[in-house]
Amino acid sequence: MDANEFRDKYLEFFKSKGHVIIPSASLVPKDDPSVLFNTAGMQPLVPYLSGQPHPLGKRLANIQKCIRTVDFDNIGDNTHHTFFQMLGNWSLGDYFKKEVISWSFEFLTDKRWLNLPLKRLAFTVYQGDKIVPKDNESSEIWKSLGVNEARIAFLGKDNFWIAGETGPCGPSTEMFYWTGDAVAPEKFDPADNRWVEIWNDVFMQYHKEKDGSIKPLKQKNVDTGMGFERTLAVLSGKKSAYETD
């Protein structure tokens, strides 16, 4: 699968799920003085994730251009890039965990879409903390779709997403693909870098305040980001995005 076909499939899939396709925002934020560049697909949508109505509705999807401003030491390896693109879909107070996890699974594994083998996939969910509970719900949804429990790992801060110091945030579930030459081990070890994260579904239901406290948002949102370059490498049978078209 080449780059253009992959882009088209992603947007077609979420259009079929009732999403309106919106264009990528500029790399330079328009009305956000807190950052120099857009570093994640959700940054241009922060006002709408916080409760402001979006003129095109509650279900949106696009491919957002981003600049990496962290992980500098990793740039140039097989999975980290200075400029990258995030394939994203959003629910602004509409659907939540059950729908987006099911759709993520469908897009990854269904023959009509990416047709990735389940035996090469693994998943993480949030282990919880003193404020946000352990995300057993997401784990149970993955298992109901046929995922082996040994391929689900509960993690801490890596599975809680916020773009900056303050703003909309929430626990996440991440999807990994086995890139090793050997058969994927039955038990998922997130520390093994042959497992490459390709997609992240964030359940954005909180807001982090300036004093560090976390409060519930007025609405429960979904913010997902699929790494275009990483996933394209997987679909192309390459070890690195630099080897793709």
Side-chain angles (χ1 to χ4, degrees):
M1 187 180 299
D2 66 21
N4 288 331
E5 184 182 1
F6 177 31
R7 288 189 184 95
D8 291 345
K9 275 186 178 289
Y10 185 86
L11 297 178
E12 180 188 350
F13 177 81
F14 281 100
K15 191 173 182 179
S16 76
K17 304 299 184 185
H19 292 66
V20 175
I21 309 305
I22 60 174
S24 172
S26 168
L27 281 173
V28 180
K30 183 179 180 182
D31 298 309
D32 185 355
S34 67
V35 290
L36 290 175
F37 300 103
N38 280 316
T39 63
M42 55 75 67
Q43 278 184 312
L45 294 168
V46 165
Y48 311 108
L49 293 165
S50 299
Q52 180 180 322
H54 194 284
L56 295 179
K58 295 183 176 182
R59 296 187 179 190
L60 308 172
N62 80 339
I63 303 174
Q64 174 63 43
K65 301 170 184 176
C66 302
I67 290 284
R68 183 171 298 279
T69 58
V70 295
D71 301 333
F72 290 121
D73 291 342
N74 295 324
I75 291 175
D77 68 9
N78 287 352
T79 61
H80 293 83
H81 309 85
T82 308
F83 169 82
F84 60 100
Q85 299 169 75
M86 294 301 290
L87 285 65
N89 63 281
W90 293 273
S91 165
L92 305 175
D94 189 6
Y95 59 82
F96 205 49
K97 292 182 181 181
K98 183 177 180 180
E99 293 88 348
V100 75
I101 290 175
S102 298
W103 291 341
S104 297
F105 185 83
E106 180 184 355
F107 185 67
L108 288 171
T109 63
D110 192 278
K111 291 181 180 179
R112 181 183 174 189
W113 304 108
L114 300 191
N115 195 27
L116 296 177
L118 181 55
K119 64 184 179 181
R120 297 180 76 96
L121 294 172
F123 310 85
T124 59
V125 292
Y126 188 52
Q127 69 182 16
D129 58 23
K130 294 180 180 179
I131 301 173
V132 179
K134 184 178 181 180
D135 192 5
N136 289 311
E137 182 182 358
S138 291
S139 176
E140 291 302 314
I141 295 171
W142 285 121
K143 287 191 285 186
S144 74
L145 294 168
V147 176
N148 189 315
E149 189 171 5
R151 288 289 180 84
I152 301 172
F154 284 86
L155 297 183
K157 63 180 182 179
D158 286 344
N159 277 78
F160 193 91
W161 167 255
I162 184 169
E165 295 298 319
T166 62
C169 56
S172 69
T173 181
E174 297 180 334
M175 289 143 268
F176 291 75
Y177 186 83
W178 176 254
T179 61
D181 294 327
V183 175
E186 182 178 347
K187 185 170 178 59
F188 172 40
D189 177 8
D192 186 335
N193 61 16
R194 290 173 294 181
W195 288 105
V196 172
E197 179 205 337
I198 57 174
W199 205 351
N200 188 14
D201 291 350
V202 182
F203 311 118
M204 203 159 274
Q205 61 196 100
Y206 301 103
H207 190 280
K208 187 174 182 181
E209 307 293 331
K210 290 182 179 179
D211 62 4
S213 63
I214 294 178
K215 299 179 180 179
L217 285 170
K218 294 179 181 179
Q219 63 189 35
K220 290 183 177 181
N221 309 294
V222 168
D223 152 38
T224 91
M226 174 181 254
F228 172 72
E229 294 82 5
R230 294 182 181 188
T231 311
L232 179 62
V234 165
L235 296 171
S236 305
K238 305 295 185 182
K239 295 292 185 183
S240 162
Y242 300 103
E243 301 173 36
T244 68
D245 68 313

